[in-house]
Amino acid sequence: MIWYLFVPLAPYLLWLLWAAAFHPLPLTYNWRSIWQRWAGTLSTVGAIAIVVMVFVVVLSMAQGVSKAYVRSGREDQVIIMRQNARVEMMSSVSLAQARLILTHPLIAHDEVGPLATEDIIVSKQVALADGSGAMSVTVRGTTPAGIRMRSQVRMLRGRWFNPGLSEAVVPQKMLNRYTGVEWGRSIDMAGRSWKVVGVFDGDGSVFDSEIWTEVGDLRQAFRRYGNDSSMAVRLRSAADVPAFVRDMEQDVRLKLEAKPEPAYFADLGDAGRPMQVLGQIITLILTVGAVFAAMNTMYATVAGRTPEIGTLRALGFRRREILASFQWEAILLTALGGLLGAGLSLLFNGIRTGTVNMNTWSDVSYAFAVTPDLMAQGVGFSILMGVAGGFLPAWRASRIPVTEAMRA
């Protein structure tokens, strides 16, 4: 969080606020001074805006990935996997274990039956629509109960798959990113041709990155007759989750690991972290340049206004009042860039793209999520740049001797 960086600067910033309120030099004086050198002001504001835009967009990428996973889980649902298996794709749950789990008294039921699904997860290389290659896409074999349990998923066109017919359904958001998965076409996988019979919407969840089919068909195609990848169950209430998790771990017949869905998907949300680190490195490099741009502009301001500074000193303004005034001018300059950059970042909001989850090596679809909090962090970041880039020029302005300034 950018706000932690304000903590060590808090005394100085509070003093600046006090100075703005009680010192005789008003902020309108600095505002007019900024626009007297409009060319330098615009170039500095532009540089700061680019840095802030990159900063906010990078954070919105990580936010988008995290949001996709957060939307995928429910508080009252649990995923059961092999012990120490971090993701479903690397897990294995035998059919005998699955039958035993189905008898657990804490599992909820609806009018059709128990809300428990045995899923198989595999991956399939699918060609990208732009012709730049292919990406590994998760294919989930699931059951009718699995469809009922994922209430965020709804059918948009066509119908759900029928067992024994090698049918599949694809997410709407996948159609613009991949080719060959359109409604009515067939997907070749494991020696079979799977007809796409429906298009669904995952409401921004991670299921928008998965092709779904019937678990029995996928089991036969991949010859996984004795086991599934994982099992998901819905409990009678979220309060039953700790007891159920404990039973899964302590039952000697099972020896499986159960995780609440929010915790499981939060772990997978780490897929956005490499992008975040890379973006922070890029932002740091750009920040150094932007701070020097602000510093250069303020040094030029001080040099061009030396007689004016001398006049202020001759009129009785003290050094600290000069320091606060020029520091505020630098902050106003960079804050303008911050506001512009935060506004420009909105151009990226909602744009969908994808990234590779380092845990599953499969593509994850997500949308840039530019939130008011991220935009506020961007403006706060620009203020920090104003403090860093404006302090030395402001200090220089406050230390110019009166006689030297008057002769300039």
Side-chain angles (χ1 to χ4, degrees), residues 164-175:
L165 298 179
S166 297
E167 295 176 339
V169 294
V170 299
Q172 169 76 32
K173 294 182 176 66
M174 188 177 283
L175 299 182

Side-chain angles (χ1 to χ4, degrees), residues 67-299:
K67 188 177 288 187
Y69 282 105
V70 167
R71 287 183 176 178
S72 307
R74 285 177 56 116
E75 296 286 343
D76 57 353
Q77 290 189 177
V78 172
I79 290 182
I80 306 155
M81 299 183 294
R82 174 177 56 80
Q83 287 185 336
N84 301 319
R86 194 174 178 192
V87 295
E88 291 177 274
M89 192 175 289
M90 299 176 184
S91 170
S92 174
V93 176
S94 72
L95 299 183
Q97 289 172 319
R99 284 195 293 271
L100 193 59
I101 293 170
L102 279 173
T103 63
H104 200 284
L106 293 181
I107 294 178
H109 290 66
D110 62 5
E111 61 279 4
V112 179
L115 290 170
T117 179
E118 305 157 45
D119 289 358
I120 292 178
I121 308 295
V122 297
S123 63
K124 157 76 179 164
Q125 288 286 317
V126 181
L128 291 165
D130 60 7
S132 60
M135 293 285 289
S136 181
V137 172
T138 297
V139 180
R140 179 181 294 273
T142 190
T143 63
I147 297 172
R148 300 199 307 276
M149 291 170 63
R150 281 103 184 197
S151 55
Q152 67 272 59
V153 177
R154 59 188 177 90
M155 181 58 62
L156 297 178
R157 285 175 287 163
R159 58 174 175 79
W160 291 105
F161 43 77
N162 287 320
L165 298 179
S166 297
E167 295 176 339
V169 294
V170 299
Q172 169 76 32
K173 294 182 176 66
M174 188 177 283
L175 299 182
N176 294 330
R177 184 164 167 77
Y178 295 97
T179 186
V181 295
E182 296 83 359
W183 184 25
R185 298 190 65 172
S186 295
I187 304 170
D188 294 329
M189 183 169 57
R192 291 190 184 185
S193 183
W194 307 72
K195 186 175 181 181
V196 178
V197 296
V199 176
F200 67 87
D201 176 43
D203 192 29
S205 68
V206 72
F207 303 124
D208 277 327
S209 307
E210 297 180 348
I211 297 172
W212 283 14
T213 185
E214 203 275 327
V215 66
D217 287 355
L218 205 62
R219 184 180 294 128
Q220 289 183 3
F222 283 84
R223 298 176 181 173
R224 296 182 57 167
Y225 300 115
N227 57 71
D228 300 318
S229 298
S230 65
M231 191 166 179
V233 300
R234 182 178 298 176
L235 304 180
R236 295 179 305 185
S237 75
D240 293 328
V241 170
F244 183 83
V245 170
R246 188 170 54 250
D247 288 349
M248 291 298 104
E249 293 173 351
Q250 293 181 351
D251 192 326
V252 294
R253 299 168 296 176
L254 298 175
K255 287 295 182 182
L256 296 171
E257 185 173 349
K259 283 186 178 180
E261 278 192 343
Y264 172 73
F265 287 114
D267 289 343
L268 291 183
D270 289 346
R273 191 153 298 168
M275 289 185 301
Q276 195 171 4
V277 172
L278 178 62
Q280 287 170 346
I281 293 173
I282 295 172
T283 303
L284 179 63
I285 295 171
L286 292 176
T287 299
V288 173
V291 167
F292 274 106
M295 193 178 292
N296 184 58
T297 300
M298 290 306 299
Y299 268 126

